[in-house]
Amino acid sequence: MKMTKQTLMQHLDELRKRVLYILLFLLGAFIIAYIFKTQILEFLFLPLSKVNTDLTLIYTNIPDLFMFFITTSLKLAFIATIPFLIIQAWAFVKPALKKNEKNSIFPILFLAPFLFLCGIVFCYFLIMPIVIEFFTTYNSQVSTPEITISLFQNINEYFSFFLMILLGFGAAFELPIVLWLLVKLGIVTKAKLKKFRRYFIVLAVFIAAILTPPDVLSQLLMSIPLIALYEITLLFIKDK
């Protein structure tokens, strides 16, 4: 009985240590993000500034800009901490896993952050320019000699729009891992996934509607990569 209590205390100490590491990493990431806030701001608004060279960013309340940098730095710090959190979680549960369980889980630790990053890069360099070009071009088309419509972008609203699409694509690119796990756990088979592909087209549109802003263009631009990822995964996946 004493041995069990001591082992439990050791686990709690180990968990506390891992949580402390994560909080320190989060704090460090937040400080770095805030120090380089101007460079990050330029990076975030680059897709919009390329399309609209006369871009004017606005905020409507005195403390808005300060709070924007604080919240933005915190959000980016959370995102940057996710891979480190996964590493710490792995280090905590690893001793309790069997060898075959370690061999199954270990590749996911590297593949999940990589696919998430691929989704973000794909969105930033390919999707965001198309979305911004479409909407800004549409705005200019409805202007007339009598009515001039100009964009004065609220800094908070743009970042919320930008981050929602960016994280949506990052999450969507985790689809291969989800499919692999479903087959690995025996929930579905590769043959069933092949039969389900026609229904997945509808499901992809539904997922895109959840993960992107409520506009048809963003949803279409996400559903197409989702369908492509589904087909590519089927080429490499093996039945259990």
Side-chain angles (χ1 to χ4, degrees):
M1 190 73 178
K2 187 176 180 180
M3 177 70 72
T4 305
K5 185 177 180 180
Q6 185 179 8
T7 303
L8 177 61
M9 292 303 299
Q10 289 176 345
H11 284 305
L12 291 176
D13 287 340
E14 180 68 17
L15 178 61
R16 184 180 61 180
K17 182 175 69 173
R18 299 297 172 185
V19 171
L20 180 60
Y21 289 162
I22 294 170
L23 292 177
L24 289 175
F25 188 94
L26 176 64
L27 177 61
F30 169 77
I31 293 173
I32 293 173
Y34 187 79
I35 291 174
F36 293 97
K37 58 183 179 296
T38 304
Q39 292 82 352
I40 291 174
L41 181 67
E42 291 176 352
F43 179 78
L44 294 176
F45 284 87
L46 183 61
L48 182 58
S49 61
K50 281 185 176 181
V51 176
N52 190 341
T53 54
D54 298 325
L55 176 65
T56 300
L57 300 177
I58 66 169
Y59 59 99
T60 56
N61 293 311
I62 291 176
D64 276 0
L65 188 60
F66 173 76
M67 292 306 302
F68 168 78
F69 284 122
I70 292 294
T71 56
T72 300
S73 299
L74 188 57
K75 290 175 182 178
L76 294 178
F78 271 115
I79 296 172
T81 304
I82 291 175
F84 185 75
L85 186 150
I86 294 174
I87 293 173
Q88 293 302 313
W90 168 254
F92 179 72
V93 302
K94 181 180 176 181
L97 298 176
K98 298 178 182 179
K99 184 177 181 180
N100 61 327
E101 292 174 334
K102 292 178 182 178
N103 294 336
S104 298
I105 297 175
F106 188 70
I108 299 177
L109 298 179
F110 295 95
L111 189 58
F114 174 74
L115 288 175
F116 187 82
L117 181 61
C118 287
I120 288 179
V121 171
F122 177 82
C123 177
Y124 182 86
F125 289 101
L126 295 178
I127 303 301
M128 285 302 297
I130 296 174
V131 172
I132 292 173
E133 178 73 30
F134 171 80
F135 285 118
T136 53
T137 302
Y138 177 82
N139 292 343
S140 63
Q141 289 175 349
V142 297
S143 296
T144 66
E146 293 78 18
I147 302 175
T148 301
I149 301 178
S150 300
L151 174 65
F152 292 91
Q153 180 62 61
N154 183 283
I155 192 170
N156 282 298
E157 291 177 355
Y158 172 81
F159 181 69
S160 298
F161 171 79
F162 180 89
L163 192 63
M164 185 176 182
I165 297 182
L166 211 65
L167 295 181
F169 271 86
F173 269 58
E174 300 293 333
L175 177 65
I177 293 179
V178 175
L179 296 178
W180 179 82
L181 284 174
L182 289 175
V183 174
K184 188 74 175 178
L185 296 173
I187 298 175
V188 296
T189 62
K190 184 175 180 179
K192 289 183 178 180
L193 289 177
K194 286 182 177 180
K195 292 181 180 179
F196 186 73
R197 57 163 44 112
R198 68 181 68 178
Y199 303 104
F200 182 77
I201 295 175
V202 178
L203 181 60
V205 175
F206 178 75
I207 294 173
I210 296 175
L211 297 178
T212 61
D215 64 87
V216 177
L217 180 63
S218 300
Q219 295 167 9
L220 180 64
L221 292 174
M222 176 177 283
S223 58
I224 292 175
L226 274 174
I227 295 169
L229 282 171
Y230 188 89
E231 295 296 331
I232 293 172
T233 304
L234 288 179
L235 296 175
F236 294 95
I237 204 168
K238 295 180 181 179
D239 285 319
K240 185 177 177 182

